[in-house]
Amino acid sequence: MLSGCSPSRPGFTAAIAQPNARPARNFTSFSGALRCMDGLLAQLPKRRYLVSSSDIPDQTRAVSVGADDMLINALNQMNRTSQRYVFLDQARISGFGQLELITTRKKGEVKPDLYIRGSISQLDSDTAEQNISLGSDSSRVTGLKTSLYRDSRTLSVVSVDLHLVQYPSRRVLPGGSVSNSMVVTKRGLTGTIAGVINAATVAVPITINRVESEGQAVRNLVELGLIELLGQHAGVPYWHCLAAPSTDARAAEKRERKHVVTGADMRAIQANLITLGYLQGAPSGTLDTGTRRAISKFQTAQNLLPNGTPDFDLVERLQSLAAAKAPTPRAVVPAPQAPTKTIRATAGKPAPAIAAANPAAPNVATSPQCTADGTPACEDIYKNLYDFIKDDIGF
C-alpha cells in the first residue's frame, strides 16, 4: 500500500541506478608481494622474457571469473620497474592447455619465450559445516519471553594449478608447477526475539550473513602462483615477499575497520607526504586543496586510484614507504683508547706534563643488519641481491 505513494519520476532513474560507494582499486593480500617482486627482479642483470598464456579455464564450472586477465594484471604489477617478464598478447589457438600462436606462421613474427597454463582445478563446497543453537524461554508475563539464535559456519576450498612452460617445445620447466588452495568461509547468524510489550506480542527476526568471495580467492591464488613460478625461474628469494605482513588478510581487515571507525589522521598523512617530498610546509591537520593535490599525485605514482581521498589504501602505502625512507639509527664503534703510560717523578723534579688528548678516531658506522653492539661482523651478510644470487645460486 505504501509503495503506491512513492512518486515515480523517470528523471530520477540515473541517480537511483548510480552506486553510492566510491570506486576502488582491487587489491589482494598479495598486491604488496607483487611490488616486492618487482623490486627484486629490478636488481637482476638486464634480461627480458616474453610471456604469454593459454586459457585458464574454470574446470569446476562453478566460479565464473576472468582468470586470464587476472594473470596479466598480476604480471604487469611485477614488471613496472624491472621489465623482466613482459606479457605478449597475440592471436592464438589455446586448447587442452597448450598454446599455438597463429602469428608464428608469419616469418619474423615475435614469439614468446615462456607461457603459463593452468586452471581453477578444484572447488569443494561445504566441506565443513558447524551449527550452534542457543535459546531461552521465560515465564514472564511482559517483557522478553523467548529468544533463539543459530550460528552457522560453512567452509569451502578453492584450488588453482599453474605451470610454466617453454615455447615452442611445450616442455614444462622442472619444478615449474604450483598448486595452491584457499579456504572460503561463509558465516551466518539467524535468530528470533519475542516478547510482550504493553499487552502486544512482538517478534523480531534477525539474519546476518558474511560470505567471502570465491572469485577474490581465485585472484589471490593466481597472484601467489605467479610469484612462485617466476620467483623460482628468476632465482630470487621470493619467499621474503610472501612473508611480508601485508599477506595477512585478517590483520589487514582489522586495520581497515579501525581506519573506518576512527577516520584518517590528517596530520600523520601530511607528515608522511612531506617526508616523501609530495607536500611542503608543516602538517595542518586539514584536508585542503594542496593536500588533495599531493594525495592525488602520490596515488598516481603508486598506481592507486587518484581521487584525492585519504582512504585506507592511501594510508597503508604512505606508512610503509615513509617508514622505509626514515633514517635508521647507526651503531657507532667507540674510538679505541691509547694505553696510559705511567711516568714517575724523580727526586726534586716534578713529573713532566703529558698531552692527555688522543687524536679523535673517526666513527665507524656499521650496517643495521650487523650485531647490535656495533661489532663489524658483516662478512656473511649479502650487501645486495646480486651477491646473493652469485654466491648462493651460482647465477
Side-chain angles (χ1 to χ4, degrees):
M1 180 176 63
L2 293 176
S3 63
C5 300
S6 61
S8 176
R9 299 183 181 180
F12 289 158
T13 303
I16 295 172
Q18 181 67 26
N20 291 328
R22 287 178 176 269
R25 283 280 192 265
N26 192 342
F27 290 114
T28 69
S29 303
F30 297 98
S31 297
L34 292 171
R35 296 193 302 272
C36 172
M37 281 293 297
D38 188 23
L40 290 181
L41 296 175
Q43 298 183 48
L44 294 175
K46 294 296 181 181
R47 182 176 180 180
R48 188 181 69 169
Y49 293 92
L50 297 179
V51 182
S52 191
S53 71
S54 64
D55 292 335
I56 302 180
D58 174 24
Q59 301 292 4
T60 69
R61 301 183 184 276
V63 186
S64 300
V65 295
D68 304 348
D69 290 315
M70 292 179 179
L71 178 69
I72 297 173
N73 190 294
L75 185 61
N76 278 338
Q77 292 185 56
M78 293 174 57
N79 71 3
R80 294 190 68 192
T81 303
S82 64
Q83 294 292 311
R84 188 171 183 86
Y85 295 96
V86 179
F87 191 84
L88 180 64
D89 190 20
Q90 298 191 26
R92 61 184 185 268
I93 301 174
S94 52
F96 306 103
Q98 294 184 345
L99 183 69
E100 178 68 29
L101 295 181
I102 297 176
T103 52
T104 55
R105 300 174 184 176
K106 299 179 181 179
K107 185 177 181 180
E109 192 69 37
V110 178
K111 302 178 183 179
D113 304 299
L114 307 165
Y115 74 92
I116 298 172
R117 60 160 293 183
S119 68
I120 305 171
S121 54
Q122 182 180 358
L123 174 62
D124 295 329
S125 300
D126 304 338
T127 56
E129 185 173 356
Q130 173 181 304
N131 296 305
I132 300 176
S133 298
L134 177 65
S136 65
D137 192 359
S138 174
S139 59
R140 296 177 181 178
V141 178
T142 60
L144 179 64
K145 291 181 66 68
T146 61
S147 63
L148 176 64
Y149 305 96
R150 183 171 182 263
D151 179 77
S152 62
R153 184 181 182 188
T154 305
L155 306 180
S156 302
V157 179
V158 182
S159 300
V160 172
D161 288 55
L162 294 177
H163 312 276
L164 191 60
V165 188
Q166 287 180 329
Y167 188 84
S169 68
R170 298 192 183 91
R171 294 178 180 175
V172 178
L173 294 177
S177 297
V178 293
S179 179
N180 297 305
S181 301
M182 286 192 75
V183 176
V184 179
T185 304
K186 177 181 179 180
R187 296 183 179 92
L189 174 65
T190 58
T192 303
I193 302 175
V196 177
I197 301 177
N198 294 334
T201 302
V202 179
V204 180
I206 300 173
T207 301
I208 301 174
N209 290 317
R210 183 181 185 275
V211 182
E212 296 178 358
S213 169
E214 293 175 348
Q216 195 72 359
V218 171
R219 186 182 291 273
N220 275 281
L221 293 173
V222 168
E223 293 178 353
L224 172 60
L226 189 66
I227 290 172
E228 290 186 290
L229 286 179
L230 299 187
Q232 293 173 8
H233 182 264
V236 296
Y238 63 90
W239 50 88
H240 293 304
C241 299
L242 296 179
S246 59
T247 59
D248 187 347
R250 184 183 294 272
E253 180 186 355
K254 291 181 179 179
R255 294 195 302 272
E256 186 164 4
R257 286 179 180 272
K258 182 179 179 181
H259 171 82
V260 172
V261 172
T262 61
D265 185 349
M266 285 307 307
R267 288 188 178 276
I269 290 175
Q270 290 171 330
N272 289 332
L273 288 171
I274 293 171
T275 300
L276 297 173
Y278 288 89
L279 189 64
Q280 303 295 326
S284 64
T286 304
L287 185 58
D288 50 26
T289 303
T291 303
R292 284 188 180 275
R293 290 175 180 172
I295 289 175
S296 297
K297 186 176 180 181
F298 175 82
Q299 290 171 325
T300 302
Q302 294 298 315
N303 198 30
L304 301 173
L305 194 64
N307 54 15
T309 304
D311 53 17
F312 174 73
D313 296 326
L314 170 78
V315 172
E316 286 278 283
R317 193 71 59 84
L318 272 175
Q319 289 178 347
S320 62
L321 293 181
K325 190 174 181 179
T328 304
R330 294 185 172 183
V332 178
V333 178
Q337 299 293 330
T340 303
K341 183 178 181 180
T342 304
I343 300 180
R344 299 179 180 277
T346 57
K349 293 183 180 181
I354 302 296
N358 284 325
N363 293 336
V364 180
T366 62
S367 168
Q369 296 177 337
C370 303
T371 55
D373 60 356
T375 306
C378 296
E379 290 82 0
D380 297 329
I381 300 297
Y382 292 103
K383 301 301 185 299
N384 53 47
L385 179 61
Y386 179 73
D387 292 338
F388 172 88
I389 297 171
K390 180 177 64 176
D391 295 344
D392 273 18
I393 303 179
F395 183 82

